[in-house]
Amino acid sequence: MGPDAEHASTAWPDEHELLHLGIASAVAVLHGLGGMIHWDLADGGPMPLAAHTGLSDSFVRAWEDVGPGEAVAPARAVLTRSFAWMPARGDRDSHFGADRLPVGTGLASVPVLTRGGRVGALSVLTSASQEPDTEERRVLDAVAQCIGEGVCAVRTAESAAESAERRDGESSGIRRGPEFGIWSWDFTNDTVSLDESAVRILGFGTDAFDGRIDAWQRLVHPEDLHRVLTWAAQACRGPSAYGVECRIRQHDGGFRWVAWRSRDRGDGNGGGAWLSGTVRDATDSRLTRDFIGHALRQDNDGVLALDSSWRVAFTSSGAEHLLGLPEQLSGRSLWEAVPDLRGLGVEEAARQAVTDGATLGLDVPWPAQQRWLRMRLVPATDNLTLYLSDITDIQRDAAERHPVDAAVSSQSTPIAALTRALAAAVTGHDVVNTVNEYMLPLFGATAVGVWTVEAGRVFLVAVVGARKELVDRVEAVPVEDLPDVAQALLDGVPNFISSPEEFVRRYPGMAGIVALSGKQAWAYLPLIVSGRTVGICVITYDRPQMFPREEQTLFTALSGLVAQAMERARLYDAEHGRAQELQRGLLPRALPSVPAVTAAARYLPAGEGREVGGDWYDVIPLSADRVALVIGDVMGHGLSEAATMGRLRTAVRTLADLEMPPDELFSHLDEMVGGLGEDFYATCLYAVYDPADRHCSVISAGHPPPAVIRPDGTAYFLDLPCNPPLGVAAPPLDLAEVTLPQDSLLVLYTDGLVESAGCDVGQGMDRLRRRLETAYGGTPELDGLCDDLIAEMLPDPYRTSDDAALLVARTRALAPQDIACWQLPDEPMAAGQARHSIRKQLAAWQLEELSMTTELLVSELIGNVVRHARGPIAVRLLRSRALICEVSDGSLSMPRIRRAADTDEGGRGLQLVAAMADRWGARYTSSGKCIWTEQALPTDK
């Protein structure tokens, strides 16, 4: 697009744009659906619609004209020169009522007055039938007033321009658009070229500008230079047009606003790099847009805009001045950057405004600036705007006229915030933190401690701001040894001490406590619920403090609130403690010591205020030195989920003892979880590791995959088949077969370790992998590794929303010289061959003491295969913590021990095996079954 084309499509500034800006601001003030302006032509006819924003075509058609005598809000506003309100009165079966308003809406109108006597009506269609409050009306009037002033200014400027054109003989009956200039920036030699129009727009002669880029930069206002250079960099990189407005220095030392827009660029291929575009005067347009901002600023001394995460998106200079805000506030959480707002109840009010979707207002004292502020909280779909006004003079006048009412009003907002916070407190620590955050600023105190009384002694619940030496000195001390506390507890009324001198005078034997505390005044508040004393709250000051009667009364009232909160917290702590004790009882008290792995585990409950969860883990010894590693998570929190976790862990251990294959075991678990109800489901991961060949079978039901750390320290996650969680799975489930390196680490975990509100599972797993590689130091101590992982992944466990379980195992492998295998023919002579081979191998292992029993066991087991099963027959000996003997065959029929009658010729073989072996059993294999026995090694071996 060339300059002429852009010139033809631009009309700036004009009355139409001013009206639209005004309507948009009015709609924002009332959170309306749309707005419109009608002008009274003073000819007795209807008022035509001049401009509208955000309204449907059908609505616009219904309001194209408004009769001067109609009983509608715009006409009444013009007639009475005051605010007019009209709620919709249509029935629910029609979209538009007889008053031309959609059902459930309302129309608010204010007059727009100009100095020339022209009258109009600014109207906003609201989404509720509730009339705007006084504050909203005042802002709406201010917007309307500014629109009137702006219209006058625009028309005055237009008249002056037309007169000038007539004097110059250039009048053609067509209003001229703004003048555009052409500029070009050559990056090769750092020069800027301007045409005559650009020089005229910028307001300086050719002698004031030599074309060098540094000279041009000196003409740009210092505050705007960084923004202009950033625009230039964007324009050079991007194919789209970019625009920016900045201030240019004039001959008289003043500045004027100009708007730069890039149009064409060159990348330097075959020539120099350059950028060109247009420039126009933007001074009037900036003034036009500032009309509406002035309307809002004159009624609100400051504005703060927050996004959906309570981060500051915009701060006006007035808000920075009123609140004394820190620098670089944009992008930070308002409650963290200005914590005093939290203590004054502003955060709670903001959350309530967003939840209710309604505007809230509150007056708060701002001690940092020694002023009173009126805050208006206006929620939107994904943000919140705070409008601030300084009402110090209003409050001062009210205090002089009604001092008692002013004192009550000054404390009502913080007390309301304290009440809400105490109602939300869950634990005893929550109560103490709430008192510290809300109650201490109210009285100017600096420390608080809450103590319970049990068996005639005081025990600390929590303390903030007190010296540790003092806390240790009075912990578990009998009440009678603390007369200051005893007096408040026995009398059942607060005990106030204004100075150290008064303290020592009343309690001479406690002079050491006074010196140790370092405090200057004390308030002892007994916590009494239903006539029963549950503890005492001690509030202290860093300077002497007089306690007037009104303050003592307020302390007494607030102590009742604290006492009720502490009683609720005590009941919760007791129930939560029992629940956690139950959960800990359902987890392994200690991990078994097995030859295949060395293991360590951690369980971390959810943060304070959360119910118990269903995360669990287990290490289960299996036959032939194999081991099963299990971890799972029952979805949800509560005693029911904890009980389900215990049932699930018991079921897994029982099924594992039956030597079931992992996929069959999970089929049974899925059926069990599904039988608990539709609301129950769980994730689980089950891994069986065999140290003889380092083979690991892993199956997962909706659970995150385990991590493996190789001996060289690199970590990766196993690629497992995707199976649904237990309770919704569809057996058969798929499993993975892997071979692990010797001395590798296998890390099992629940989603609570890697997932949080600010981190999804994928990001958490990546963090875990990096941490594993960092923490692995060749042969790390597993307990220390678990602690490091918990500290890294969950740095603030009290704020976690889910419990977490972690199981780390270092794998071992049997040495080849500790394994012996033989394949035997499927015939009676196999028993003799087996006895000969075993006798020879045990002699090599120096285990001749076990030769006789082992030969008898093998003979009996092979005889059963020859007689009742089928080959091929295999025998394997494993030397570990015990001597393990296995006989495998190709039959799927499992042996079972039975009682043989005196006349039976058979049935005593398994009885003999059970008598001679310490343990025995059978399990299925991929080709049949395996019967195994274990014998303890001689003690000197």
Side-chain angles (χ1 to χ4, degrees), residues 350-623:
R351 295 183 185 277
Q352 181 180 346
V354 172
T355 301
D356 298 342
T359 299
L360 288 180
L362 68 160
D363 297 342
V364 297
W366 194 244
Q369 304 290 332
Q370 296 296 313
R371 67 174 85 238
W372 273 84
L373 300 179
R374 175 163 294 165
M375 296 190 178
R376 188 162 169 269
L377 313 175
V378 182
T381 303
D382 56 355
N383 58 54
L384 178 81
T385 303
L386 278 75
Y387 296 97
L388 310 175
S389 299
D390 188 345
I391 58 169
T392 306
D393 293 339
I394 298 175
Q395 287 288 336
R396 186 180 298 113
D397 294 342
E400 293 174 355
R401 292 193 303 268
H402 307 285
V404 177
D405 293 344
V408 174
S409 174
S410 67
Q411 296 175 334
S412 59
T413 298
I415 291 175
L418 171 64
T419 303
R420 289 192 298 268
L422 285 175
V426 176
T427 66
H429 284 80
D430 292 342
V431 174
V432 175
N433 289 335
T434 299
V435 172
N436 173 64
E437 187 172 348
Y438 294 92
M439 195 166 167
L440 296 194
L442 184 63
F443 296 101
T446 56
V448 59
V450 173
W451 308 74
T452 61
V453 180
E454 300 176 11
R457 296 176 179 269
V458 293
F459 294 93
L460 177 68
V461 175
V463 65
V464 176
R467 294 178 178 175
K468 184 178 184 301
E469 297 83 357
L470 175 67
V471 174
D472 296 339
R473 175 80 173 270
V474 301
E475 175 72 4
V477 171
V479 174
E480 57 267 20
D481 293 345
L482 301 171
D484 52 339
V485 174
Q487 180 175 342
L489 292 176
L490 293 176
D491 297 344
V493 295
N495 182 16
F496 299 100
I497 303 176
S498 299
S499 66
E501 293 77 15
E502 179 184 352
F503 199 120
V504 175
R505 185 175 62 254
R506 292 172 57 182
Y507 311 109
M510 299 192 66
I513 295 291
V514 174
L516 185 61
S517 70
K519 299 300 181 181
Q520 300 292 310
W522 297 259
Y524 296 86
L525 310 179
L527 305 179
I528 303 173
V529 178
S530 301
R532 181 173 56 88
T533 302
V534 298
I536 189 168
C537 176
V538 183
I539 295 177
T540 57
Y541 298 76
D542 284 344
R543 62 185 62 185
Q545 175 77 14
M546 298 301 297
F547 295 97
R549 184 176 301 276
E550 296 80 6
E551 192 167 289
Q552 293 185 20
T553 302
L554 185 57
F555 264 123
T556 303
L558 294 181
S559 67
L561 297 177
V562 176
Q564 295 176 11
M566 277 302 303
E567 180 66 5
R568 290 193 303 269
R570 184 187 66 83
L571 295 174
Y572 171 82
D573 288 340
E575 179 184 354
H576 192 64
R578 288 191 295 268
Q580 287 194 329
E581 184 178 355
L582 168 64
Q583 188 174 40
R584 285 191 294 267
L586 295 173
L587 291 172
R589 294 186 179 274
L591 297 180
S593 175
V594 294
V597 298
T598 302
R602 294 290 184 274
Y603 171 77
L604 191 71
E608 288 191 5
R610 307 284 181 173
E611 295 185 278
V612 295
D615 289 16
W616 59 282
Y617 58 86
D618 208 348
V619 176
I620 306 173
L622 301 177
S623 63

Side-chain angles (χ1 to χ4, degrees), residues 526-879:
L527 305 179
I528 303 173
V529 178
S530 301
R532 181 173 56 88
T533 302
V534 298
I536 189 168
C537 176
V538 183
I539 295 177
T540 57
Y541 298 76
D542 284 344
R543 62 185 62 185
Q545 175 77 14
M546 298 301 297
F547 295 97
R549 184 176 301 276
E550 296 80 6
E551 192 167 289
Q552 293 185 20
T553 302
L554 185 57
F555 264 123
T556 303
L558 294 181
S559 67
L561 297 177
V562 176
Q564 295 176 11
M566 277 302 303
E567 180 66 5
R568 290 193 303 269
R570 184 187 66 83
L571 295 174
Y572 171 82
D573 288 340
E575 179 184 354
H576 192 64
R578 288 191 295 268
Q580 287 194 329
E581 184 178 355
L582 168 64
Q583 188 174 40
R584 285 191 294 267
L586 295 173
L587 291 172
R589 294 186 179 274
L591 297 180
S593 175
V594 294
V597 298
T598 302
R602 294 290 184 274
Y603 171 77
L604 191 71
E608 288 191 5
R610 307 284 181 173
E611 295 185 278
V612 295
D615 289 16
W616 59 282
Y617 58 86
D618 208 348
V619 176
I620 306 173
L622 301 177
S623 63
D625 274 358
R626 296 175 306 127
V627 64
L629 305 173
V630 198
I631 197 164
D633 183 4
V634 177
M635 297 297 102
H637 295 85
L639 288 177
S640 176
E641 284 72 14
T644 301
M645 175 267 287
R647 298 167 65 181
L648 191 60
R649 175 176 172 248
T650 301
V652 171
R653 179 169 282 273
T654 301
L655 295 174
D657 285 341
L658 294 176
E659 301 279 4
M660 283 190 177
D663 51 349
E664 184 178 348
L665 185 147
F666 265 42
S667 296
H668 288 283
L669 287 181
D670 177 71
E671 183 177 355
M672 188 201 88
V673 176
L676 298 177
E678 295 181 356
D679 296 334
F680 284 92
Y681 65 97
T683 67
C684 188
L685 187 139
Y686 183 85
V688 176
Y689 174 70
D690 188 346
D693 55 6
R694 307 194 312 278
H695 182 80
C696 188
S697 301
V698 187
I699 187 169
S700 170
H703 203 84
V708 177
I709 308 180
R710 300 182 181 94
D712 62 2
T714 58
Y716 66 97
F717 292 98
L718 292 180
D719 187 10
L720 302 181
C722 183
N723 297 313
L726 299 175
V728 294
L733 303 181
D734 298 324
L735 75 161
E737 306 282 354
V738 297
T739 300
L740 298 178
Q742 185 172 349
D743 293 329
S744 60
L745 290 184
L746 195 60
V747 182
L748 284 65
Y749 54 93
T750 59
D751 59 355
L753 185 71
V754 295
E755 185 179 25
S756 63
C759 178
D760 60 30
V761 174
Q763 294 171 330
M765 290 174 59
D766 190 53
R767 284 181 55 206
L768 176 63
R769 180 188 57 79
R770 294 196 303 268
R771 183 57 186 168
L772 287 172
E773 292 180 339
T774 302
Y776 187 82
T779 56
E781 193 266 325
L782 295 187
D783 285 313
L785 178 61
C786 288
D787 293 337
D788 289 345
L789 291 178
I790 292 293
E792 172 69 20
M793 302 301 295
L794 303 173
D796 190 359
Y798 293 103
R799 292 183 177 269
T800 57
S801 59
D802 194 9
D803 52 344
L806 173 67
L807 176 61
V808 180
R810 176 179 289 112
T811 63
R812 297 196 186 102
L814 282 176
Q817 59 269 24
D818 291 331
I819 305 173
C821 302
W822 301 277
Q823 296 291 329
L824 302 174
D826 185 11
E827 55 187 31
M829 68 173 56
Q833 296 178 7
R835 287 193 297 271
H836 174 75
S837 299
I838 287 174
R839 189 182 311 114
K840 183 178 179 181
Q841 184 62 53
L842 291 180
W845 285 345
Q846 299 181 0
L847 294 175
E848 292 88 346
E849 297 178 30
L850 300 178
S851 180
M852 180 183 299
T853 55
T854 306
E855 291 180 36
L856 288 175
L857 290 172
V858 169
S859 297
E860 183 59 39
L861 295 179
I862 292 179
N864 284 340
V865 172
V866 173
R867 183 174 180 181
H868 303 291
R870 65 175 183 271
I873 303 174
V875 176
R876 185 172 72 161
L877 282 183
L878 303 177
R879 182 179 60 171

Side-chain angles (χ1 to χ4, degrees), residues 251-390:
H251 285 298
D252 58 4
F255 290 89
R256 69 188 308 175
W257 284 94
V258 296
W260 304 86
R261 184 174 179 83
S262 64
R263 189 180 61 183
D264 300 313
R265 67 186 182 93
D267 56 10
N269 294 329
W274 54 272
L275 185 70
S276 67
T278 60
V279 61
R280 63 173 174 81
D281 190 340
T283 304
D284 292 337
S285 65
R286 296 287 301 199
L287 294 177
T288 303
R289 280 175 285 177
D290 287 344
F291 275 125
I292 303 305
H294 169 71
L296 295 177
R297 286 195 299 272
Q298 72 179 16
D299 205 71
N300 297 278
D301 297 326
V303 179
L304 275 171
L306 309 180
D307 62 15
S308 58
S309 300
W310 309 111
R311 291 188 296 265
V312 178
F314 168 78
T315 309
S316 70
S317 58
E320 295 175 352
H321 171 70
L322 288 176
L323 299 178
L325 297 178
E327 297 181 359
Q328 302 299 329
L329 185 64
S330 180
R332 297 174 58 189
S333 168
L334 179 62
W335 319 126
E336 296 177 0
V338 192
D340 289 344
L341 292 174
R342 205 174 256 158
L344 294 172
V346 179
E347 180 182 5
E348 288 75 16
R351 295 183 185 277
Q352 181 180 346
V354 172
T355 301
D356 298 342
T359 299
L360 288 180
L362 68 160
D363 297 342
V364 297
W366 194 244
Q369 304 290 332
Q370 296 296 313
R371 67 174 85 238
W372 273 84
L373 300 179
R374 175 163 294 165
M375 296 190 178
R376 188 162 169 269
L377 313 175
V378 182
T381 303
D382 56 355
N383 58 54
L384 178 81
T385 303
L386 278 75
Y387 296 97
L388 310 175
S389 299
D390 188 345

